[in-house]
Amino acid sequence: MPAVKISIIGAGSAAFSLRLVGDLCRTKNLEGSLISLMDIDGNRLNAIYNLATKYVNELGGNVKFEKTTNLEESIKDSDFVINTALVGGHKWMEENRKAGEKHGYYRGIDTQEFNMVSDYNTFTNYYQLKFFLDVAKLIEKIAPNAWLLQTANPVFEGTTLIARETGIKVAGFCHGHHGVFQVIEALGIDPKDVDWQVAGFNHAIWLNRFMYKDENAYPLLEKWIEENSSSWKPTDPFDDQLSPAAIDMYRFYGMLPVGDTVRNGSWKYHYNLETKKKWFGEPWGGADSELGWAWYNERLKIITSIIADIASDPNLKILSRETYEKLFEKYNLPKEMLSEASNIIDPEKMSGEQHIPFINAIVNDEKQRLVLNIMNRGEIIKEIPENVVVEVPVTVDKSGIHPEKIDPPLSKRVVKFYLYPRMVRMEMALEAFLTGDRKILEEVLVRDPRTKSFEQVEAVIDEIFSLSFNEEMKKHYNQ
Ligand code: NAD
């Protein structure tokens, strides 16, 4: 069996790393592979190292680990590099957001039309983009044959930047298209009988093809809307695939937005908490409201504590339901969430992340249909330039990534009113990063409907630059 070296950068993101380790254990064709866990945070690194080792022992897989805080050491000899690091963590993002709110930018200056995902920095993303390029250039230098699986956000900006600025093999990874399966489940139809495609940009994908038993399945969605939409309620802040916002976007654009796309609509859905509640449901008003994001941060903290408990207590087995029952009680979590743990507990079940299936397809020629972010070469989406990364269904095998023909094409409104403006934001973010020209950041805010004066623009940028951790970013912008 061909064994490979997989480097996970930012491996301290424990829940994500565990999913990859579990998937690798369940992929017999990659037996004997080495995972290099890399993180700058030694404590997090030790915790994930112990936990991953424990997991493999319980699952009975044949996976080896190394851990390091040295980027170069991890990338050296790697066949695949997965970048999931978040420079500065959620703390920096919250600080930037707070500075933005102080000057009248509700949910922060990164919160823009078609870019409402709160953990998705585009304009205060200097460190993230710089790190993406550092990693990519290091791969180019010391492991030029390795694939980079770009997972940290912003995936759209980051993958486009790397593909333009380096010659390495890169693809952006996200699981947002799973929203399609939520729709299929809600309609009560068998996924085996559904032929679907999504296309667009990361966090900006649309259900262009939706066929059930060779017939258009959109009428089934219409029926669901008629019968169920008015009584729809979210189960958590991220449950928005069939929210009023999604249905409203579908009505306007002529195709259903899928996954995080629903969070990335226009200001119509986001002016304030009240508006958000109307479109994304009570009580949270979606993931990107102050309430939804607080819920998310709280969950992240609990998950981190659960992981720390399991890592430190030899009596707590990762593969035992009892462990989760006990810990869910300890942290007062709803029982329904236990189903989320079932992927970890079920020794046969893959996590749904696309990374290990991708690696298996490349290494062992086991063909896989995935949805990946790749350069639009060959005009996969014909209205989009070829040097912009698009998120599309592909087949992956030993010879690489083969995009499907997008058929039927995206609606005119999706392309012109949604993808074009989103693409301009990406170009502005990259241009600002590459040139260090503060005027671009200003221009972005001048075009923001929350801006009432140019003084407000200058004040908010100065405030963000004045935060102590932003000193390097400030210098980059010649301030
Ligand atoms: P997190 O802060 O919990 O974890 C990130 C890890 O990166 C931390 O352990 C941190 O120590 C480490 N790190 C920071 N700087 C580093 C550096 N210079 N070198 C190595 N490691 C470093 O964050 P998270 O919530 O796990 O999110 C991580 C990223 O993944 C974010 O950008 C998030 O938006 C993204 N994300 C992507 C997807 C997807 O499907 N593509 C899904 C969820 C989250």
Side-chain angles (χ1 to χ4, degrees), residues 9-10 12-13 38-41 44 84-90 119 128 131 151-153 155 173-175 296 300 353:
I9 313 292
S13 176
M38 188 272 154
D39 203 290
I40 47 163
D41 182 328
R44 276 178 162 232
T84 181
L86 177 60
V87 180
H90 292 272
D119 64 336
Q128 206 55 351
F131 188 65
T151 305
N153 281 313
V155 166
F173 280 67
C174 184
H175 46 227
Y296 177 61
L300 281 183
E353 297 291 348

PDB file of all heavy atoms in Angstrom, residues 9-10 12-13 38-41 44 84-90 119 128 131 151-153 155 173-175 296 300 353, ligand 1:
ATOM      1  N   ILE A   9      -1.105  21.771   8.988  1.00  0.00           N
ATOM      2  CA  ILE A   9      -0.630  23.034   9.557  1.00  0.00           C
ATOM      3  C   ILE A   9      -1.790  23.673  10.321  1.00  0.00           C
ATOM      4  O   ILE A   9      -2.872  23.863   9.757  1.00  0.00           O
ATOM      5  CB  ILE A   9      -0.188  24.009   8.436  1.00  0.00           C
ATOM      6  CG1 ILE A   9       0.712  23.331   7.401  1.00  0.00           C
ATOM      7  CG2 ILE A   9       0.447  25.270   9.027  1.00  0.00           C
ATOM      8  CD1 ILE A   9       2.052  22.926   7.906  1.00  0.00           C
ATOM      9  N   GLY A  10      -1.544  23.997  11.588  1.00  0.00           N
ATOM     10  CA  GLY A  10      -2.644  24.486  12.430  1.00  0.00           C
ATOM     11  C   GLY A  10      -3.406  23.307  13.012  1.00  0.00           C
ATOM     12  O   GLY A  10      -4.613  23.359  13.232  1.00  0.00           O
ATOM     13  N   GLY A  12      -3.685  22.096  15.787  1.00  0.00           N
ATOM     14  CA  GLY A  12      -4.327  22.268  17.092  1.00  0.00           C
ATOM     15  C   GLY A  12      -5.822  22.484  16.989  1.00  0.00           C
ATOM     16  O   GLY A  12      -6.535  22.421  17.996  1.00  0.00           O
ATOM     17  N   SER A  13      -6.318  22.760  15.791  1.00  0.00           N
ATOM     18  CA  SER A  13      -7.756  22.808  15.555  1.00  0.00           C
ATOM     19  C   SER A  13      -8.249  21.363  15.676  1.00  0.00           C
ATOM     20  O   SER A  13      -8.382  20.632  14.698  1.00  0.00           O
ATOM     21  CB  SER A  13      -8.008  23.367  14.158  1.00  0.00           C
ATOM     22  OG  SER A  13      -9.361  23.342  13.863  1.00  0.00           O
ATOM     23  N   MET A  38       1.444  19.969  12.882  1.00  0.00           N
ATOM     24  CA  MET A  38       2.229  21.196  13.081  1.00  0.00           C
ATOM     25  C   MET A  38       1.346  22.303  13.642  1.00  0.00           C
ATOM     26  O   MET A  38       0.243  22.533  13.142  1.00  0.00           O
ATOM     27  CB  MET A  38       2.831  21.644  11.743  1.00  0.00           C
ATOM     28  CG  MET A  38       3.822  22.776  11.846  1.00  0.00           C
ATOM     29  SD  MET A  38       3.018  24.376  11.756  1.00  0.00           S
ATOM     30  CE  MET A  38       4.152  25.415  12.637  1.00  0.00           C
ATOM     31  N   ASP A  39       1.808  22.952  14.696  1.00  0.00           N
ATOM     32  CA  ASP A  39       1.086  24.095  15.259  1.00  0.00           C
ATOM     33  C   ASP A  39       2.099  24.940  16.032  1.00  0.00           C
ATOM     34  O   ASP A  39       3.073  24.409  16.561  1.00  0.00           O
ATOM     35  CB  ASP A  39      -0.037  23.612  16.198  1.00  0.00           C
ATOM     36  CG  ASP A  39      -1.147  24.650  16.357  1.00  0.00           C
ATOM     37  OD1 ASP A  39      -0.903  25.702  16.995  1.00  0.00           O
ATOM     38  OD2 ASP A  39      -2.257  24.409  15.843  1.00  0.00           O
ATOM     39  N   ILE A  40       1.867  26.237  16.101  1.00  0.00           N
ATOM     40  CA  ILE A  40       2.795  27.063  16.893  1.00  0.00           C
ATOM     41  C   ILE A  40       2.468  27.006  18.376  1.00  0.00           C
ATOM     42  O   ILE A  40       3.267  27.409  19.206  1.00  0.00           O
ATOM     43  CB  ILE A  40       2.806  28.554  16.448  1.00  0.00           C
ATOM     44  CG1 ILE A  40       1.381  29.073  16.302  1.00  0.00           C
ATOM     45  CG2 ILE A  40       3.613  28.762  15.197  1.00  0.00           C
ATOM     46  CD1 ILE A  40       1.331  30.588  16.282  1.00  0.00           C
ATOM     47  N   ASP A  41       1.296  26.529  18.701  1.00  0.00           N
ATOM     48  CA  ASP A  41       0.878  26.445  20.105  1.00  0.00           C
ATOM     49  C   ASP A  41       1.225  25.046  20.651  1.00  0.00           C
ATOM     50  O   ASP A  41       0.557  24.051  20.321  1.00  0.00           O
ATOM     51  CB  ASP A  41      -0.633  26.719  20.173  1.00  0.00           C
ATOM     52  CG  ASP A  41      -1.171  26.714  21.589  1.00  0.00           C
ATOM     53  OD1 ASP A  41      -0.631  25.964  22.429  1.00  0.00           O
ATOM     54  OD2 ASP A  41      -2.134  27.447  21.852  1.00  0.00           O
ATOM     55  N   ARG A  44      -1.612  23.034  22.535  1.00  0.00           N
ATOM     56  CA  ARG A  44      -2.608  22.469  21.633  1.00  0.00           C
ATOM     57  C   ARG A  44      -2.020  21.287  20.848  1.00  0.00           C
ATOM     58  O   ARG A  44      -2.690  20.283  20.615  1.00  0.00           O
ATOM     59  CB  ARG A  44      -3.068  23.534  20.640  1.00  0.00           C
ATOM     60  CG  ARG A  44      -4.160  24.436  21.176  1.00  0.00           C
ATOM     61  CD  ARG A  44      -4.518  25.477  20.145  1.00  0.00           C
ATOM     62  NE  ARG A  44      -5.800  26.075  20.438  1.00  0.00           N
ATOM     63  CZ  ARG A  44      -6.800  26.177  19.572  1.00  0.00           C
ATOM     64  NH1 ARG A  44      -6.675  25.758  18.349  1.00  0.00           N
ATOM     65  NH2 ARG A  44      -7.938  26.723  19.924  1.00  0.00           N
ATOM     66  N   THR A  84      -4.802  24.635   7.767  1.00  0.00           N
ATOM     67  CA  THR A  84      -6.035  24.983   8.472  1.00  0.00           C
ATOM     68  C   THR A  84      -5.768  25.985   9.597  1.00  0.00           C
ATOM     69  O   THR A  84      -6.585  26.172  10.490  1.00  0.00           O
ATOM     70  CB  THR A  84      -6.719  23.694   8.999  1.00  0.00           C
ATOM     71  OG1 THR A  84      -7.916  24.052   9.660  1.00  0.00           O
ATOM     72  CG2 THR A  84      -5.838  22.938   9.963  1.00  0.00           C
ATOM     73  N   ALA A  85      -4.603  26.646   9.524  1.00  0.00           N
ATOM     74  CA  ALA A  85      -4.216  27.566  10.613  1.00  0.00           C
ATOM     75  C   ALA A  85      -5.000  28.872  10.547  1.00  0.00           C
ATOM     76  O   ALA A  85      -5.331  29.365   9.467  1.00  0.00           O
ATOM     77  CB  ALA A  85      -2.723  27.858  10.530  1.00  0.00           C
ATOM     78  N   LEU A  86      -5.270  29.404  11.710  1.00  0.00           N
ATOM     79  CA  LEU A  86      -5.903  30.728  11.801  1.00  0.00           C
ATOM     80  C   LEU A  86      -4.958  31.617  12.596  1.00  0.00           C
ATOM     81  O   LEU A  86      -4.884  31.497  13.829  1.00  0.00           O
ATOM     82  CB  LEU A  86      -7.271  30.615  12.483  1.00  0.00           C
ATOM     83  CG  LEU A  86      -8.020  31.929  12.705  1.00  0.00           C
ATOM     84  CD1 LEU A  86      -8.296  32.628  11.382  1.00  0.00           C
ATOM     85  CD2 LEU A  86      -9.343  31.671  13.419  1.00  0.00           C
ATOM     86  N   VAL A  87      -4.225  32.481  11.894  1.00  0.00           N
ATOM     87  CA  VAL A  87      -3.212  33.310  12.566  1.00  0.00           C
ATOM     88  C   VAL A  87      -3.925  34.300  13.497  1.00  0.00           C
ATOM     89  O   VAL A  87      -4.818  35.026  13.066  1.00  0.00           O
ATOM     90  CB  VAL A  87      -2.339  34.051  11.528  1.00  0.00           C
ATOM     91  CG1 VAL A  87      -1.299  34.913  12.233  1.00  0.00           C
ATOM     92  CG2 VAL A  87      -1.673  33.063  10.583  1.00  0.00           C
ATOM     93  N   GLY A  88      -3.517  34.282  14.760  1.00  0.00           N
ATOM     94  CA  GLY A  88      -4.146  35.189  15.738  1.00  0.00           C
ATOM     95  C   GLY A  88      -5.415  34.627  16.351  1.00  0.00           C
ATOM     96  O   GLY A  88      -5.919  35.174  17.336  1.00  0.00           O
ATOM     97  N   GLY A  89      -5.928  33.555  15.749  1.00  0.00           N
ATOM     98  CA  GLY A  89      -7.125  32.897  16.308  1.00  0.00           C
ATOM     99  C   GLY A  89      -8.362  33.781  16.287  1.00  0.00           C
ATOM    100  O   GLY A  89      -8.359  34.897  15.756  1.00  0.00           O
ATOM    101  N   HIS A  90      -9.418  33.272  16.909  1.00  0.00           N
ATOM    102  CA  HIS A  90     -10.694  34.001  16.922  1.00  0.00           C
ATOM    103  C   HIS A  90     -10.572  35.305  17.709  1.00  0.00           C
ATOM    104  O   HIS A  90     -11.333  36.238  17.476  1.00  0.00           O
ATOM    105  CB  HIS A  90     -11.799  33.105  17.492  1.00  0.00           C
ATOM    106  CG  HIS A  90     -12.110  31.951  16.580  1.00  0.00           C
ATOM    107  ND1 HIS A  90     -13.035  32.037  15.579  1.00  0.00           N
ATOM    108  CD2 HIS A  90     -11.584  30.704  16.489  1.00  0.00           C
ATOM    109  CE1 HIS A  90     -13.087  30.890  14.927  1.00  0.00           C
ATOM    110  NE2 HIS A  90     -12.204  30.068  15.460  1.00  0.00           N
ATOM    111  N   ASP A 119     -16.501  34.456  10.201  1.00  0.00           N
ATOM    112  CA  ASP A 119     -15.113  34.051  10.427  1.00  0.00           C
ATOM    113  C   ASP A 119     -14.332  34.155   9.117  1.00  0.00           C
ATOM    114  O   ASP A 119     -13.410  33.426   8.867  1.00  0.00           O
ATOM    115  CB  ASP A 119     -15.028  32.636  10.986  1.00  0.00           C
ATOM    116  CG  ASP A 119     -15.546  31.581  10.042  1.00  0.00           C
ATOM    117  OD1 ASP A 119     -16.355  31.898   9.167  1.00  0.00           O
ATOM    118  OD2 ASP A 119     -15.134  30.421  10.185  1.00  0.00           O
ATOM    119  N   GLN A 128      -3.380  36.366   7.578  1.00  0.00           N
ATOM    120  CA  GLN A 128      -3.832  35.101   7.031  1.00  0.00           C
ATOM    121  C   GLN A 128      -3.286  34.926   5.605  1.00  0.00           C
ATOM    122  O   GLN A 128      -2.694  33.906   5.276  1.00  0.00           O
ATOM    123  CB  GLN A 128      -5.370  35.108   7.083  1.00  0.00           C
ATOM    124  CG  GLN A 128      -6.094  33.812   7.153  1.00  0.00           C
ATOM    125  CD  GLN A 128      -5.722  32.860   8.270  1.00  0.00           C
ATOM    126  OE1 GLN A 128      -4.751  33.023   9.018  1.00  0.00           O
ATOM    127  NE2 GLN A 128      -6.477  31.795   8.357  1.00  0.00           N
ATOM    128  N   PHE A 131       0.445  34.365   5.604  1.00  0.00           N
ATOM    129  CA  PHE A 131       0.802  33.004   6.018  1.00  0.00           C
ATOM    130  C   PHE A 131       0.517  32.005   4.882  1.00  0.00           C
ATOM    131  O   PHE A 131       1.316  31.112   4.621  1.00  0.00           O
ATOM    132  CB  PHE A 131       0.031  32.636   7.290  1.00  0.00           C
ATOM    133  CG  PHE A 131       0.476  31.329   7.884  1.00  0.00           C
ATOM    134  CD1 PHE A 131       1.752  31.177   8.391  1.00  0.00           C
ATOM    135  CD2 PHE A 131      -0.383  30.238   7.916  1.00  0.00           C
ATOM    136  CE1 PHE A 131       2.173  29.956   8.926  1.00  0.00           C
ATOM    137  CE2 PHE A 131       0.025  29.030   8.451  1.00  0.00           C
ATOM    138  CZ  PHE A 131       1.302  28.890   8.951  1.00  0.00           C
ATOM    139  N   THR A 151      -7.470  25.015   3.348  1.00  0.00           N
ATOM    140  CA  THR A 151      -8.704  24.806   4.108  1.00  0.00           C
ATOM    141  C   THR A 151      -9.056  26.009   4.966  1.00  0.00           C
ATOM    142  O   THR A 151     -10.225  26.300   5.199  1.00  0.00           O
ATOM    143  CB  THR A 151      -8.523  23.551   4.999  1.00  0.00           C
ATOM    144  OG1 THR A 151      -8.139  22.468   4.142  1.00  0.00           O
ATOM    145  CG2 THR A 151      -9.802  23.183   5.713  1.00  0.00           C
ATOM    146  N   ALA A 152      -8.025  26.706   5.460  1.00  0.00           N
ATOM    147  CA  ALA A 152      -8.300  27.898   6.274  1.00  0.00           C
ATOM    148  C   ALA A 152      -8.932  28.970   5.391  1.00  0.00           C
ATOM    149  O   ALA A 152      -8.640  29.065   4.192  1.00  0.00           O
ATOM    150  CB  ALA A 152      -7.006  28.413   6.887  1.00  0.00           C
ATOM    151  N   ASN A 153      -9.778  29.771   5.990  1.00  0.00           N
ATOM    152  CA  ASN A 153     -10.410  30.877   5.276  1.00  0.00           C
ATOM    153  C   ASN A 153      -9.517  32.114   5.288  1.00  0.00           C
ATOM    154  O   ASN A 153      -8.694  32.256   6.181  1.00  0.00           O
ATOM    155  CB  ASN A 153     -11.745  31.209   5.939  1.00  0.00           C
ATOM    156  CG  ASN A 153     -12.812  30.224   5.511  1.00  0.00           C
ATOM    157  OD1 ASN A 153     -12.938  29.932   4.331  1.00  0.00           O
ATOM    158  ND2 ASN A 153     -13.564  29.711   6.469  1.00  0.00           N
ATOM    159  N   VAL A 155     -10.969  30.976   1.829  1.00  0.00           N
ATOM    160  CA  VAL A 155     -10.587  29.989   0.805  1.00  0.00           C
ATOM    161  C   VAL A 155     -10.602  30.618  -0.598  1.00  0.00           C
ATOM    162  O   VAL A 155      -9.709  30.367  -1.413  1.00  0.00           O
ATOM    163  CB  VAL A 155     -11.519  28.753   0.874  1.00  0.00           C
ATOM    164  CG1 VAL A 155     -11.380  27.884  -0.363  1.00  0.00           C
ATOM    165  CG2 VAL A 155     -11.209  27.933   2.127  1.00  0.00           C
ATOM    166  N   PHE A 173     -10.525  23.652  -0.142  1.00  0.00           N
ATOM    167  CA  PHE A 173     -11.442  22.641   0.390  1.00  0.00           C
ATOM    168  C   PHE A 173     -12.484  23.262   1.321  1.00  0.00           C
ATOM    169  O   PHE A 173     -12.142  24.073   2.189  1.00  0.00           O
ATOM    170  CB  PHE A 173     -10.655  21.580   1.168  1.00  0.00           C
ATOM    171  CG  PHE A 173     -10.008  20.571   0.271  1.00  0.00           C
ATOM    172  CD1 PHE A 173      -8.983  20.958  -0.573  1.00  0.00           C
ATOM    173  CD2 PHE A 173     -10.438  19.251   0.260  1.00  0.00           C
ATOM    174  CE1 PHE A 173      -8.387  20.035  -1.425  1.00  0.00           C
ATOM    175  CE2 PHE A 173      -9.849  18.327  -0.590  1.00  0.00           C
ATOM    176  CZ  PHE A 173      -8.816  18.716  -1.429  1.00  0.00           C
ATOM    177  N   CYS A 174     -13.721  22.839   1.153  1.00  0.00           N
ATOM    178  CA  CYS A 174     -14.814  23.284   2.011  1.00  0.00           C
ATOM    179  C   CYS A 174     -15.913  22.219   1.919  1.00  0.00           C
ATOM    180  O   CYS A 174     -15.989  21.505   0.921  1.00  0.00           O
ATOM    181  CB  CYS A 174     -15.350  24.623   1.508  1.00  0.00           C
ATOM    182  SG  CYS A 174     -16.625  25.334   2.559  1.00  0.00           S
ATOM    183  N   HIS A 175     -16.737  22.129   2.965  1.00  0.00           N
ATOM    184  CA  HIS A 175     -17.800  21.117   2.893  1.00  0.00           C
ATOM    185  C   HIS A 175     -19.179  21.754   2.698  1.00  0.00           C
ATOM    186  O   HIS A 175     -20.192  21.117   2.923  1.00  0.00           O
ATOM    187  CB  HIS A 175     -17.777  20.207   4.127  1.00  0.00           C
ATOM    188  CG  HIS A 175     -17.633  20.973   5.404  1.00  0.00           C
ATOM    189  ND1 HIS A 175     -16.747  20.637   6.398  1.00  0.00           N
ATOM    190  CD2 HIS A 175     -18.236  22.096   5.833  1.00  0.00           C
ATOM    191  CE1 HIS A 175     -16.826  21.517   7.378  1.00  0.00           C
ATOM    192  NE2 HIS A 175     -17.734  22.410   7.058  1.00  0.00           N
ATOM    193  N   TYR A 296     -21.778  30.140  18.708  1.00  0.00           N
ATOM    194  CA  TYR A 296     -20.716  29.381  18.041  1.00  0.00           C
ATOM    195  C   TYR A 296     -19.436  29.386  18.883  1.00  0.00           C
ATOM    196  O   TYR A 296     -18.810  28.344  19.104  1.00  0.00           O
ATOM    197  CB  TYR A 296     -20.470  29.998  16.662  1.00  0.00           C
ATOM    198  CG  TYR A 296     -19.343  29.366  15.889  1.00  0.00           C
ATOM    199  CD1 TYR A 296     -19.383  28.019  15.543  1.00  0.00           C
ATOM    200  CD2 TYR A 296     -18.229  30.105  15.491  1.00  0.00           C
ATOM    201  CE1 TYR A 296     -18.348  27.426  14.823  1.00  0.00           C
ATOM    202  CE2 TYR A 296     -17.198  29.528  14.774  1.00  0.00           C
ATOM    203  CZ  TYR A 296     -17.269  28.188  14.447  1.00  0.00           C
ATOM    204  OH  TYR A 296     -16.238  27.613  13.751  1.00  0.00           O
ATOM    205  N   LEU A 300     -17.479  26.258  20.505  1.00  0.00           N
ATOM    206  CA  LEU A 300     -16.059  25.972  20.260  1.00  0.00           C
ATOM    207  C   LEU A 300     -15.327  25.732  21.573  1.00  0.00           C
ATOM    208  O   LEU A 300     -14.525  24.812  21.695  1.00  0.00           O
ATOM    209  CB  LEU A 300     -15.387  27.130  19.522  1.00  0.00           C
ATOM    210  CG  LEU A 300     -15.613  27.253  18.019  1.00  0.00           C
ATOM    211  CD1 LEU A 300     -14.805  28.420  17.461  1.00  0.00           C
ATOM    212  CD2 LEU A 300     -15.218  25.978  17.284  1.00  0.00           C
ATOM    213  N   GLU A 353     -15.486  15.224   5.417  1.00  0.00           N
ATOM    214  CA  GLU A 353     -14.449  16.114   4.898  1.00  0.00           C
ATOM    215  C   GLU A 353     -13.869  15.457   3.633  1.00  0.00           C
ATOM    216  O   GLU A 353     -13.803  14.226   3.539  1.00  0.00           O
ATOM    217  CB  GLU A 353     -13.327  16.333   5.936  1.00  0.00           C
ATOM    218  CG  GLU A 353     -13.764  17.022   7.216  1.00  0.00           C
ATOM    219  CD  GLU A 353     -14.149  18.490   7.021  1.00  0.00           C
ATOM    220  OE1 GLU A 353     -13.871  19.049   5.956  1.00  0.00           O
ATOM    221  OE2 GLU A 353     -14.752  19.058   7.956  1.00  0.00           O
TER     222      GLU A 353
HETATM  223  P1  NAD B   1      -8.600  27.749  15.728  1.00  0.00           P
HETATM  224  O1  NAD B   1      -8.038  29.065  16.136  1.00  0.00           O
HETATM  225  O2  NAD B   1      -9.368  26.951  16.719  1.00  0.00           O
HETATM  226  O3  NAD B   1      -7.422  26.798  15.213  1.00  0.00           O
HETATM  227  C1  NAD B   1      -6.430  27.245  14.370  1.00  0.00           C
HETATM  228  C2  NAD B   1      -5.076  26.701  14.803  1.00  0.00           C
HETATM  229  O4  NAD B   1      -4.090  27.381  14.016  1.00  0.00           O
HETATM  230  C3  NAD B   1      -4.700  26.943  16.278  1.00  0.00           C
HETATM  231  O5  NAD B   1      -4.373  25.719  16.902  1.00  0.00           O
HETATM  232  C4  NAD B   1      -3.501  27.882  16.206  1.00  0.00           C
HETATM  233  O6  NAD B   1      -2.564  27.673  17.244  1.00  0.00           O
HETATM  234  C5  NAD B   1      -2.939  27.531  14.856  1.00  0.00           C
HETATM  235  N1  NAD B   1      -2.047  28.566  14.303  1.00  0.00           N
HETATM  236  C6  NAD B   1      -2.159  29.908  14.368  1.00  0.00           C
HETATM  237  N2  NAD B   1      -1.122  30.491  13.758  1.00  0.00           N
HETATM  238  C7  NAD B   1      -0.332  29.494  13.288  1.00  0.00           C
HETATM  239  C8  NAD B   1       0.892  29.462  12.561  1.00  0.00           C
HETATM  240  N3  NAD B   1       1.523  30.581  12.201  1.00  0.00           N
HETATM  241  N4  NAD B   1       1.421  28.263  12.246  1.00  0.00           N
HETATM  242  C9  NAD B   1       0.801  27.112  12.605  1.00  0.00           C
HETATM  243  N5  NAD B   1      -0.363  27.085  13.292  1.00  0.00           N
HETATM  244  C10 NAD B   1      -0.914  28.266  13.633  1.00  0.00           C
HETATM  245  O7  NAD B   1      -9.462  28.055  14.429  1.00  0.00           O
HETATM  246  P2  NAD B   1     -10.604  27.142  13.734  1.00  0.00           P
HETATM  247  O8  NAD B   1     -11.933  27.551  14.224  1.00  0.00           O
HETATM  248  O9  NAD B   1     -10.218  25.708  13.792  1.00  0.00           O
HETATM  249  O10 NAD B   1     -10.474  27.652  12.220  1.00  0.00           O
HETATM  250  C11 NAD B   1      -9.293  27.486  11.463  1.00  0.00           C
HETATM  251  C12 NAD B   1      -9.513  27.965  10.043  1.00  0.00           C
HETATM  252  O11 NAD B   1     -10.291  27.004   9.312  1.00  0.00           O
HETATM  253  C13 NAD B   1     -10.293  29.280   9.931  1.00  0.00           C
HETATM  254  O12 NAD B   1      -9.751  30.043   8.874  1.00  0.00           O
HETATM  255  C14 NAD B   1     -11.687  28.837   9.601  1.00  0.00           C
HETATM  256  O13 NAD B   1     -12.418  29.833   8.944  1.00  0.00           O
HETATM  257  C15 NAD B   1     -11.384  27.667   8.706  1.00  0.00           C
HETATM  258  N6  NAD B   1     -12.476  26.705   8.491  1.00  0.00           N
HETATM  259  C16 NAD B   1     -12.543  26.151   7.264  1.00  0.00           C
HETATM  260  C17 NAD B   1     -13.529  25.216   6.979  1.00  0.00           C
HETATM  261  C18 NAD B   1     -13.569  24.600   5.608  1.00  0.00           C
HETATM  262  O14 NAD B   1     -14.350  23.685   5.382  1.00  0.00           O
HETATM  263  N7  NAD B   1     -12.773  25.057   4.673  1.00  0.00           N
HETATM  264  C19 NAD B   1     -14.446  24.845   7.970  1.00  0.00           C
HETATM  265  C20 NAD B   1     -14.338  25.415   9.239  1.00  0.00           C
HETATM  266  C21 NAD B   1     -13.329  26.344   9.496  1.00  0.00           C
END
